[in-house]
Each structure stands twice: as structure tokens, then as C-alpha cells.
């Protein structure tokens, strides 16, 4: 992984790296097959959690997980309700080229995640999680939800490169994308992310135009949005469907 390779160059003795843990409910008997696949594709995965048919969610905190990714929406919801930042992964119909020199992380500035008041949130955002939070304590900003821990961890790695005058060549690049024209709204999102220690490299405001072309140009590895409808809509724009 490029981020870890660059970190090791700049900080040879540091153990603070971008860490990936493979979590699966598969039985330990398939461990050798997993290891062979990881070695075959030259992946930097050294930690495993194989639970033999049980859900791995209960182990997330033990592994100090900052972000849990899964193709199973139910497991994602379970992780969020356990206080762990989580997101659903989905596959594209066509192959897409992604940068192998930078980890690109994009944030949808129009998402309810950045709402100032829970009353402004649209029905269906964040599914069961936001409904649970509204009933129990409400949400006013991104800093109050589990995603904060991931932002803080990402920002910490970001700053390690800045400390070595590597801002212009940082292998972590962040984007804020919005189709709205409200400058104040964009400023609020930037301040919210900054309060978590994360700096935004590029701000792209579409001012009413579709933001799909902007996301297509970025080709982010991770895009944070809180509604699957928006994700699928963006996917159709990006893939030209």
C-alpha cells in the first residue's frame, strides 16, 4: 500500500501505519487459503479475525477499528449501532481505474451527516442508525457520530506527511463535493472535518449541476454519503448509465 510505503520511508521506526484487518465469519480452516490469496495479490494485510460462523462485529473494538467496511448492509448497521464507523461496499458493473499512488477519500457535502440540526435530516438517512440516535440523543454534527474516530486517524496520518514538508505529495488526498451553491454550507462542512483533525485538499461546488462528473473525475477509493439512493444515482452518472 502506497500510504504505508511512504510512511516507512519517512518514519522508519514508526509503527503508526494504515492498518487493514481482514474480518470474516469463515472458519479458521480456510486461513491458509486466505493467506495464499493475500500473498498472490501482494496485499498488505497482516491481521485476521475468523469467527467460525459467528458475527465478527463484537471484535471490532478489540481491534481498535476506526472504519468497518462490508458488502452486508446488516453487518454495517450492526457495527454502527455498536459505535463503530461503518460503510457498505458495492461493486461496479465495469472495471474502473483508481490511483495507485494516492488514497483518495471524498465526502458528499450535501449529506445529512453535516446537518446543523437533526430536524433538517431527510427521512431514510443513515437508515436505522439515525433513527436510533434521534430517539436517544439527536445529532447536530459529524463530530458526534462514530465516523469521527476514522477522521481523526486519517488526519493524524495526513499530518505526519505535512510534518516532513510532503503536503504537495501526500499519498492521502481528500475532497469535498457538493451540488449546492451555499458557500456557508460548504464552510460548515470544512470546519466540521477540520475539528476532527482532517484537512480537505479540494473543494468542488457544482452549484446546482450534477456532481457525478466531478466524482468521476476524482475517482475516489472511498466516497462518504449517507443514502444508498444517492450512491446508486452517482454510480449511474459516473458509469454513464
Amino acid at each position: 500500500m502506497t500510504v504505508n510505503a511512504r510512511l516507512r520511508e519517512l518514519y522508519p521506526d514508526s509503527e503508526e501505519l494504515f492498518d487493514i484487518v481482514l474480518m470474516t465469519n469463515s472458519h479458521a480452516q480456510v486461513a491458509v487459503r486466505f493467506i495464499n490469496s493475500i500473498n498472490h495479490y501482494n496485499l498488505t494485510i497482516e491481521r485476521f479475525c475468523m469467527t467460525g460462523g459467528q458475527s465478527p462485529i463484537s471484535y471490532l473494538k478489540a481491534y481498535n477499528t476506526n472504519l468497518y467496511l462490508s458488502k452486508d448492509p446488516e453487518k454495517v448497521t450492526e457495527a454502527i449501532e455498536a459505535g463503530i464507523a461503518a460503510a457498505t461496499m458495492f461493486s461496479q458493473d465495469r472495471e474502473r481505474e483508481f490511483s495507485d499512488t494516492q488514497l483518495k477519500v471524498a465526502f458528499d457535502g450535501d449529506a445529512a451527516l453535516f446537518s446543523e440540526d437533526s430536524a433538517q435530516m431527510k427521512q431514510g438517512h443513515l437508515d436505522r442508525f439515525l433513527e436510533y440516535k434521534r430517539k436517544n440523543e439527536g445529532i447536530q454534527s459529524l463530530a458526534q457520530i462514530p465516523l469521527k474516530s476514522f477522521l481523526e486517524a486519517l488526519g493524524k496520518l495526513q499530518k505526519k506527511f505535512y510534518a516532513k514538508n510532503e503536503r504537495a505529495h501526500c499519498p492521502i488526498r481528500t475532497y469535498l463535493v457538493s451540488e449546492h451553491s451555499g458557500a456557508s454550507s460548504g464552510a460548515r462542512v470544512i470546519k466540521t472535518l477540520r475539528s476532527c483533525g482532517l484537512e480537505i485538499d479540494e473543494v468542488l461546488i457544482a452549484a446546482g449541476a450534477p456532481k457525478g462528473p466531478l466524482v468521476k473525475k476524482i475517482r475516489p477509493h472511498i466516497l462518504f454519503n449517507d443514502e444508498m439512493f444517492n450512491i446508486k444515482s452517482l454510480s449511474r452518472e459516473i458509469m454513464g448509465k
Side-chain angles (χ1 to χ4, degrees):
M1 179 174 225
T2 301
V3 175
N4 284 351
R6 294 284 305 283
L7 281 170
R8 288 192 179 100
E9 288 176 8
L10 299 173
Y11 301 91
D13 300 324
S14 176
E15 295 183 359
E16 193 172 46
L17 301 172
F18 202 103
D19 195 13
I20 299 174
V21 181
L22 173 64
M23 310 201 78
T24 173
N25 57 7
S26 297
H27 198 277
Q29 289 180 341
V30 302
V32 173
R33 189 176 70 190
F34 274 112
I35 293 172
N36 288 339
S37 296
I38 288 169
N39 291 333
H40 175 76
Y41 291 104
N42 196 29
L43 302 177
T44 55
I45 301 176
E46 298 180 353
R47 297 206 288 162
F48 304 85
C49 178
M50 298 182 177
T51 59
Q54 301 298 313
S55 173
I57 302 303
S58 61
Y59 287 95
L60 292 177
K61 288 187 178 180
Y63 275 91
N64 296 317
T65 305
N66 291 311
L67 179 64
Y68 173 70
L69 301 175
S70 174
K71 295 181 71 173
D72 186 342
E74 291 186 4
K75 281 192 173 62
V76 169
T77 300
E78 187 181 348
I80 291 174
E81 291 179 344
I84 303 293
T88 303
M89 299 173 64
F90 67 100
S91 302
Q92 296 285 357
D93 294 333
R94 277 188 251 169
E95 291 292 328
R96 294 179 59 201
E97 294 182 4
F98 295 92
S99 172
D100 58 3
T101 59
Q102 282 186 320
L103 172 64
K104 296 185 176 183
V105 182
F107 298 89
D108 187 333
D110 306 320
L113 291 171
F114 302 105
S115 173
E116 286 184 312
D117 191 322
S118 61
Q120 298 172 355
M121 295 186 180
K122 299 176 182 178
Q123 184 178 3
H125 280 186
L126 280 180
D127 300 322
R128 291 167 51 196
F129 174 62
L130 283 188
E131 182 63 23
Y132 168 82
K133 297 295 280 184
R134 273 196 292 265
K135 289 180 179 178
N136 288 271
E137 60 190 51
I139 292 178
Q140 292 186 346
S141 72
L142 182 66
Q144 293 174 272
I145 66 173
L147 188 58
K148 181 183 178 185
S149 62
F150 173 72
L151 299 177
E152 290 175 337
L154 193 63
K156 196 180 231 183
L157 294 178
Q158 198 181 44
K159 286 177 175 57
K160 289 174 75 71
F161 291 101
Y162 295 172
K164 296 288 187 177
N165 297 318
E166 290 285 313
R167 180 180 287 267
H169 305 289
C170 181
I172 298 172
R173 193 157 188 86
T174 56
Y175 303 81
L176 171 64
V177 183
S178 173
E179 64 184 19
H180 294 157
S181 58
S184 61
S185 177
R188 185 178 70 248
V189 175
I190 293 172
K191 288 178 181 177
T192 300
L193 294 171
R194 192 175 291 165
S195 72
C196 297
L198 185 70
E199 296 290 334
I200 291 295
D201 295 302
E202 297 188 30
V203 178
L204 306 169
I205 306 297
K211 57 191 169 190
L214 299 177
V215 177
K216 183 177 182 179
K217 175 65 176 177
I218 296 170
R219 294 192 180 278
H221 297 88
I222 303 175
L223 169 63
F224 284 105
N225 191 296
D226 52 18
E227 275 196 293
M228 187 55 70
F229 172 81
N230 290 336
I231 294 290
K232 290 180 178 178
S233 177
L234 278 172
S235 178
R236 285 193 295 270
E237 290 182 38
I238 292 168
M239 301 308 294
K241 295 184 178 180

